[in-house]
Amino acid sequence: PEEAHELRRYTDPAGIDFISLIAPTTDDERIKKVVSQAQGFLYYISVTGVTGTKKPQIADIKKDVARIRRFSKLPVAVGFGISTPRQAGEIAAHADGVVVGSAFVRLIDENREGDDLVSLVAGYATEIKKSL
């Protein structure tokens, strides 16, 4: 939030919400500070470290999303480390949105030479959507 103004001077006039991030290590005082300036929705980072390298823990996500909701009425989307339809479905039960990014990038990278890349990615997206 301390540097948000550097980007919000562009996003606010354009009518684009500046999405704030909250990590598992964020304490309650910091959450209050983050949500006081938040717009659109809150993005909860479900794991510490590099995205796509760790598996999110559902019990921790449930607890942390509930904690965030004590401080804000904004929707909470959860991302980082979500790579299977099952994980997306389990997380969706506790969040307002689920972000799957690295898994798509990995799928595209591993199949970029194939003739069926678009149908493969579309099929993966359909599996995730069905799990929600």
Side-chain angles (χ1 to χ4, degrees), residues 17 26 47 70 79 85 95 122:
D17 287 335
T26 306
V47 295
R70 289 195 331 247

CSV table of all heavy atoms in Angstrom, one decimal, residues 17 26 47 70 79 85 95 122:
chain,number,residue,atom,x,y,z
A,17,ASP,N,-9.7,-0.9,-11.3
A,17,ASP,CA,-9.4,-1.2,-9.9
A,17,ASP,C,-8.0,-1.6,-9.7
A,17,ASP,O,-7.5,-2.4,-10.5
A,17,ASP,CB,-10.4,-2.3,-9.4
A,17,ASP,CG,-11.8,-1.8,-9.2
A,17,ASP,OD1,-12.0,-0.6,-9.0
A,17,ASP,OD2,-12.7,-2.6,-9.3
A,26,THR,N,0.8,-11.9,6.3
A,26,THR,CA,0.3,-10.6,6.6
A,26,THR,C,-0.4,-10.6,8.0
A,26,THR,O,-1.4,-11.4,8.2
A,26,THR,CB,-0.6,-10.1,5.5
A,26,THR,OG1,0.1,-10.2,4.3
A,26,THR,CG2,-1.1,-8.7,5.8
A,47,VAL,N,0.1,-19.3,-0.9
A,47,VAL,CA,1.4,-20.0,-0.4
A,47,VAL,C,2.5,-18.9,-0.4
A,47,VAL,O,2.5,-18.0,-1.2
A,47,VAL,CB,1.8,-21.2,-1.3
A,47,VAL,CG1,0.8,-22.3,-1.2
A,47,VAL,CG2,2.1,-20.8,-2.7
A,70,ARG,N,-13.0,-10.5,8.0
A,70,ARG,CA,-13.3,-9.7,9.2
A,70,ARG,C,-13.0,-8.2,9.0
A,70,ARG,O,-13.6,-7.4,9.7
A,70,ARG,CB,-12.5,-10.2,10.4
A,70,ARG,CG,-12.9,-11.6,10.9
A,70,ARG,CD,-12.4,-11.9,12.3
A,70,ARG,NE,-11.1,-11.3,12.7
A,70,ARG,CZ,-10.0,-12.0,12.8
A,70,ARG,NH1,-9.9,-13.3,12.7
A,70,ARG,NH2,-8.9,-11.4,13.2
A,79,GLY,N,-5.1,-17.2,-5.1
A,79,GLY,CA,-4.2,-17.7,-6.2
A,79,GLY,C,-2.9,-18.1,-5.6
A,79,GLY,O,-2.6,-18.0,-4.4
A,85,PRO,N,-7.9,-29.1,-11.0
A,85,PRO,CA,-9.4,-28.8,-10.9
A,85,PRO,C,-9.8,-29.1,-9.4
A,85,PRO,O,-10.6,-28.4,-8.9
A,85,PRO,CB,-10.1,-29.7,-11.9
A,85,PRO,CG,-9.0,-29.9,-12.9
A,85,PRO,CD,-7.7,-30.0,-12.2
A,95,ALA,N,-13.6,-19.3,-1.0
A,95,ALA,CA,-13.3,-18.0,-1.6
A,95,ALA,C,-14.3,-17.5,-2.6
A,95,ALA,O,-15.1,-18.3,-3.0
A,95,ALA,CB,-11.9,-18.1,-2.2
A,122,ALA,N,-8.2,-25.3,-23.6
A,122,ALA,CA,-9.6,-25.1,-23.4
A,122,ALA,C,-10.2,-26.3,-22.6
A,122,ALA,O,-11.1,-26.0,-21.7
A,122,ALA,CB,-10.3,-25.1,-24.8
